CSV table of all heavy atoms in Angstrom, one decimal:
chain,number,residue,atom,x,y,z
P,189,PRO,N,23.8,3.9,-15.5
P,189,PRO,CA,23.4,2.5,-15.2
P,189,PRO,C,22.8,1.9,-16.5
P,189,PRO,O,22.1,2.5,-17.2
P,189,PRO,CB,22.3,2.7,-14.1
P,189,PRO,CG,21.8,4.1,-14.4
P,189,PRO,CD,22.9,4.9,-14.9
P,190,LYS,N,23.2,0.6,-16.7
P,190,LYS,CA,22.7,0.0,-17.9
P,190,LYS,C,21.2,0.0,-18.0
P,190,LYS,O,20.5,-0.4,-17.0
P,190,LYS,CB,23.2,-1.5,-17.9
P,190,LYS,CG,23.1,-2.2,-19.2
P,190,LYS,CD,24.0,-1.7,-20.3
P,190,LYS,CE,24.1,-2.6,-21.5
P,190,LYS,NZ,25.0,-3.8,-21.2
P,191,GLY,N,20.6,0.4,-19.1
P,191,GLY,CA,19.2,0.4,-19.3
P,191,GLY,C,18.5,1.7,-18.9
P,191,GLY,O,17.3,1.9,-19.1
P,192,LEU,N,19.3,2.7,-18.5
P,192,LEU,CA,18.7,4.0,-18.2
P,192,LEU,C,18.1,4.6,-19.5
P,192,LEU,O,18.7,4.5,-20.6
P,192,LEU,CB,19.8,5.0,-17.6
P,192,LEU,CG,19.3,6.4,-17.3
P,192,LEU,CD1,18.4,6.4,-16.0
P,192,LEU,CD2,20.4,7.4,-17.2
P,193,ARG,N,17.0,5.2,-19.4
P,193,ARG,CA,16.4,5.8,-20.6
P,193,ARG,C,15.6,7.1,-20.2
P,193,ARG,O,15.1,7.2,-19.1
P,193,ARG,CB,15.4,4.8,-21.3
P,193,ARG,CG,14.2,4.5,-20.4
P,193,ARG,CD,13.7,3.1,-20.7
P,193,ARG,NE,14.6,2.1,-20.1
P,193,ARG,CZ,14.3,0.8,-20.2
P,193,ARG,NH1,13.3,0.3,-20.8
P,193,ARG,NH2,15.2,-0.1,-19.6
P,194,PHE,N,15.6,8.0,-21.1
P,194,PHE,CA,14.9,9.3,-20.8
P,194,PHE,C,14.6,10.1,-22.1
P,194,PHE,O,15.2,9.8,-23.1
P,194,PHE,CB,15.6,10.2,-19.8
P,194,PHE,CG,17.1,10.5,-20.1
P,194,PHE,CD1,17.4,11.4,-21.1
P,194,PHE,CD2,18.1,9.8,-19.5
P,194,PHE,CE1,18.7,11.7,-21.4
P,194,PHE,CE2,19.4,10.1,-19.8
P,194,PHE,CZ,19.7,11.0,-20.7
P,195,VAL,N,13.7,11.0,-22.0
P,195,VAL,CA,13.4,11.9,-23.1
P,195,VAL,C,13.8,13.3,-22.7
P,195,VAL,O,13.6,13.8,-21.6
P,195,VAL,CB,11.8,11.9,-23.4
P,195,VAL,CG1,11.5,12.8,-24.5
P,195,VAL,CG2,11.4,10.5,-23.7
P,196,VAL,N,14.4,14.0,-23.7
P,196,VAL,CA,14.9,15.4,-23.5
P,196,VAL,C,14.0,16.3,-24.3
P,196,VAL,O,13.9,16.2,-25.5
P,196,VAL,CB,16.3,15.6,-23.9
P,196,VAL,CG1,16.8,17.0,-23.6
P,196,VAL,CG2,17.2,14.5,-23.3
P,197,GLY,N,13.3,17.3,-23.6
P,197,GLY,CA,12.4,18.1,-24.3
P,197,GLY,C,11.1,17.4,-24.6
P,197,GLY,O,10.8,16.3,-24.0
P,198,GLY,N,10.2,17.9,-25.5
P,198,GLY,CA,9.0,17.2,-25.8
P,198,GLY,C,8.3,17.8,-27.0
P,198,GLY,O,8.4,19.0,-27.3
P,199,PRO,N,7.5,17.0,-27.7
P,199,PRO,CA,6.9,17.5,-28.9
P,199,PRO,C,5.8,18.5,-28.7
P,199,PRO,O,5.3,19.2,-29.6
P,199,PRO,CB,6.3,16.2,-29.5
P,199,PRO,CG,6.1,15.2,-28.4
P,199,PRO,CD,7.3,15.6,-27.5
P,200,MET,N,5.3,18.6,-27.4
P,200,MET,CA,4.2,19.5,-27.1
P,200,MET,C,4.7,20.8,-26.6
P,200,MET,O,3.9,21.7,-26.3
P,200,MET,CB,3.3,18.9,-26.1
P,200,MET,CG,2.7,17.5,-26.5
P,200,MET,SD,1.9,17.5,-28.1
P,200,MET,CE,1.7,15.8,-28.3
Side-chain angles (χ1 to χ4, degrees):
K190 192 70 165 281
L192 181 75
R193 66 210 73 178
F194 52 79
V195 178
V196 185
M200 305 305 172

